[in-house]
Each structure stands twice: as C-alpha cells, then as structure tokens.
Amino acid sequence: MKRTVQQGFTLIELMIVVAIIGILAAVALPAYQTYTIKAKVSEGMLAASQCRTTVSEVYQTGNTAAPPGANGWGCENTAGSASKYVNTVTTDVNGKITVLLSGDSSLGAASLNALTLVPLATATTTLGSASIGSTQVYAWRCGNSASDGTSSTLSKYLPGSCKG
C-alpha cells in the first residue's frame, strides 16, 4: 500500500516569508513617502516654469518700457493659495523667482519652505536688471532658501531638475 505525503508549507517556511515581507515593507514605505512628497514639491517647479519663461524672454528681448520691479514680471501669483501645494509665486527686480509652498500637512517637513530660481549670466554670476534686453539667461540656479542653498528640510524633496 502506497502512502500519500501531505503537501504544504511548514510553519518555519511561512514565518520566513512573513519576515521577508516585513523587511521589504520597512524599506519600501519610507521611500514611498519621500517619493510622494517629492511629487508634491515638484508642483512648485511647475508653478515657477511660467515665470522662468517670462523672465528669460524679458532678459533676451527687453520688450518692456522699463525694467520690471518686484512682482512686476507678469507671471506672479501673490494672492495666496495658487494651488493645493503652492501658496505664492513671487519675483524680485532681478527676476529671482520664489515659490512658497503651502502648509498642507501632506507635505510633511517640506511645508512652508520656499523654492527659489535665480537667473544666471554665467555658471556663477547672477543676472541683474541692468542686463535686461542685452543678454540671455545662461542657466537657472535652483535652491530652497534665500541663499539658494540646500540646507533646509526641503533639500531631499527637491525635484531632479533642481539638484545639479
């Protein structure tokens, strides 16, 4: 008489699988949370893109009667609540764009931080309003503070286009 062997998983095998799933979840969850905040912060870059185009055009063509003043470039949103994750978009006399992120709780540590874009004449020299109409914007320096550094809590959430 032939006996049939029961087939199935042992308790040890099931415990090993559960442990592996737990380890993977512990690694993946923080990465996913960072990814979702990064996607929300990138909305700030999107909000600044219209201003970036406008400032670049004005520097190249100088199609204004006088150099624009602070918040006079024609692309700002200073009324507050530009979108769910962007509070305001402002500019200064030299075309520096500042995007203030909203205080939405889903932004976590990135909330109430400013994303800045500064027009550059060379790799290290910022453009000034005296250059309007006579130069092109060489590049944009992107950062997250008044000094355009990356020292605040927002730095790890900056979009890829803002990291170098």
Side-chain angles (χ1 to χ4, degrees):
M1 182 185 305
K2 188 175 181 185
R3 287 190 175 174
T4 59
V5 179
Q6 279 190 336
Q7 294 184 345
F9 295 108
T10 66
L11 182 59
I12 298 288
E13 290 170 331
L14 291 174
M15 289 175 58
I16 290 171
V17 168
V18 168
I20 290 172
I21 291 172
I23 291 169
L24 291 175
V27 170
L29 187 61
Y32 175 74
Q33 289 171 335
T34 300
Y35 173 76
T36 57
I37 293 173
K38 240 183 181 180
K40 293 170 186 175
V41 170
S42 70
E43 189 174 312
M45 277 298 282
L46 184 62
S49 67
Q50 179 185 358
C51 275
R52 192 171 52 186
T53 303
T54 302
V55 170
S56 295
E57 182 181 335
V58 170
Y59 266 109
Q60 185 173 356
T61 63
N63 60 0
T64 60
N71 295 322
W73 294 82
C75 57
E76 299 81 5
N77 186 341
T78 58
S81 203
S83 70
K84 184 173 181 179
Y85 304 115
V86 175
N87 195 17
T88 60
V89 180
T90 58
T91 56
D92 71 1
V93 295
N94 295 323
K96 175 182 174 182
I97 304 164
T98 304
V99 178
L100 181 65
L101 298 177
S102 72
D104 191 282
S105 61
S106 66
L107 283 172
S111 65
L112 295 177
N113 276 292
L115 179 67
T116 60
L117 291 126
V118 178
L120 299 174
T122 65
T124 57
T125 309
T126 59
L127 279 170
S129 59
S131 300
I132 290 179
S134 64
T135 189
Q136 289 185 348
V137 175
Y138 171 78
W140 288 88
R141 182 174 59 222
C142 183
N144 61 350
S145 66
S147 63
D148 307 308
T150 55
S151 59
S152 81
T153 55
L154 182 62
S155 61
K156 75 177 185 177
Y157 302 119
L158 290 175
S161 60
C162 214
K163 288 186 174 179

